[in-house]
Amino acid sequence: MHGKLLMAAAAALLGAGAAAAQADVDFYPGAAEALDLPFSEAVRVGDLVFLAGQIGTSPDTGALVDGGIRPETRQMIENIGRILRANDLDFGDVVKCTVMLDDIGEWAAFNAVYREYFTRPYPARSAFGADGLALGARVEMECIAAR
């Protein structure tokens, strides 16, 4: 009896995996394509939109903005907002953020800017210190939004 239940559970899981593999998926390369970067800015799977990590680069120059954690955070979140809008979403649709800080001691400064864009109910969020972010960035954030 136990073996039959195990086989039924395995078959159900395999069926769920096949259904997920057939899910409606769209890739949105955005600016990454123009820069010949090997990733998409966003990928939609069903009702979820996964945004690639963003840093505080100017859309005009591609260089990090000057001034430290606050200006970088503001530009990074503006970049995220641009991608959200391009996918008919806004900050209220974001359900999860993952934050990487070059210096975890800048957590409070990051949070001050983050609160200018995200309001209650806040998305779920994880954060950790990271060494060696792209282009020497002080912060990077990736998000998941739901339609």
Side-chain angles (χ1 to χ4, degrees):
M1 180 67 166
H2 187 291
K4 287 182 182 179
L5 287 175
L6 186 57
M7 292 295 283
L13 286 174
L14 288 173
Q22 296 174 4
D24 186 24
V25 178
D26 288 313
F27 294 86
Y28 303 99
E33 183 174 50
L35 297 171
D36 196 30
L37 297 172
F39 58 86
S40 294
E41 279 190 338
V43 176
R44 185 191 55 77
V45 181
D47 290 336
L48 296 178
V49 179
F50 298 83
L51 278 65
Q54 296 295 307
I55 58 176
T57 53
S58 165
D60 298 327
T61 67
L64 282 173
V65 297
D66 292 328
I69 187 68
R70 287 178 190 267
E72 275 190 46
T73 300
R74 185 166 285 106
Q75 184 62 58
M76 173 193 69
I77 297 175
E78 288 290 331
N79 294 345
I80 289 168
R82 175 185 50 78
I83 297 167
L84 289 169
R85 287 186 300 279
N87 288 279
D88 297 320
L89 298 163
D90 62 34
F91 291 108
D93 297 312
V94 175
V95 296
K96 172 74 168 87
C97 294
T98 302
V99 181
M100 294 146 271
L101 290 159
D102 183 61
D103 178 357
I104 201 74
E106 294 183 322
W107 177 253
F110 162 80
N111 260 341
V113 178
Y114 179 92
R115 288 174 182 265
E116 294 174 20
Y117 294 87
F118 292 93
T119 58
R120 293 181 191 275
Y122 296 114
R125 191 172 83 182
S126 302
F128 53 89
D131 186 30
L133 296 174
L135 302 180
R138 304 199 64 72
V139 62
E140 181 172 349
M141 186 164 73
E142 62 183 31
C143 300
I144 301 170
R147 292 190 185 274

